[in-house]
Amino acid sequence: MEDSRIIELYESRDQQAISQSDIKYGGYCYSVGYNILGVREDTEECVNETWLRAWNSIPPQKPKMLSAFFGRITRNIAFDRYRASKTAKRGKGEIAAVLEELDECIPDKDTTESLCDGIHLEGLINEFLGELQERDRNIF
């Protein structure tokens, strides 16, 4: 089908526009997206989103070259996904949650032995203070 006919289908809101676009330019858009992303599933989603964006933008716009129009949309979507995936790999703001989870893995600085030593020391100090007169105990 010719580009002018596909554009007419978009303008008349005929859903055949999407299927005809996919038949004629699906492979081209797929290759554009795949060259950026390198992941089949993400590329397929980019191509599907390309048809949605074309559906939403063609009535006000009338592209002169449909292949360039679809290629630009696919490229922009793929670059947005690429940036988002790189941001996700850097933590995406989840660093605090990750560190909180690691907190459970790091042993507590107070071991059972140190807690027992502290209790024993407290008992010795109380015993010592119990032997002192009230005035000396208050000074201590």
Side-chain angles (χ1 to χ4, degrees):
M1 183 176 283
E2 290 186 30
D3 289 356
S4 59
R5 179 68 183 126
I6 294 173
I7 292 171
E8 288 174 14
L9 291 173
Y10 275 106
E11 288 174 340
S12 65
R13 291 298 188 208
D14 188 342
Q15 291 183 0
Q16 284 293 318
I18 295 173
S19 60
Q20 291 300 320
S21 298
D22 192 39
I23 290 168
K24 188 166 183 180
Y25 295 109
Y28 169 68
C29 290
Y30 184 88
S31 66
V32 168
Y34 191 80
N35 286 335
I36 295 168
L37 297 170
V39 179
R40 184 180 58 83
E41 293 83 9
D42 289 346
T43 303
E44 289 171 358
E45 288 178 22
C46 284
V47 172
N48 290 334
E49 194 170 332
T50 297
W51 308 141
L52 175 66
R53 287 195 189 178
W55 180 265
N56 292 330
S57 64
I58 283 188
Q61 296 180 8
K62 190 168 184 171
K64 291 183 169 99
M65 254 184 97
L66 209 51
S67 61
F69 180 75
F70 289 145
R72 179 177 49 102
I73 292 173
T74 305
R75 185 189 73 233
N76 291 340
I77 294 168
F79 277 132
D80 288 345
R81 276 189 184 267
Y82 180 79
R83 282 186 216 106
S85 73
K86 293 301 176 193
T87 302
K89 289 179 182 174
R90 286 188 302 230
K92 201 176 182 180
E94 301 291 324
I95 300 294
V98 170
L99 291 177
E100 219 173 274
E101 288 177 13
L102 283 176
D103 217 15
E104 297 172 8
C105 300
I106 299 172
D108 196 7
K109 63 182 177 186
D110 294 330
T111 63
T112 305
E113 185 178 330
S114 67
L115 288 174
C116 289
D117 288 344
I119 292 171
H120 181 67
L121 181 61
E122 182 182 345
L124 290 174
I125 290 173
N126 285 335
E127 185 180 317
F128 169 73
L129 291 175
E131 295 173 358
L132 295 177
Q133 295 179 3
E134 184 178 355
R135 179 180 170 274
D136 293 334
R137 206 175 19 239
N138 289 338
I139 292 172
F140 182 81

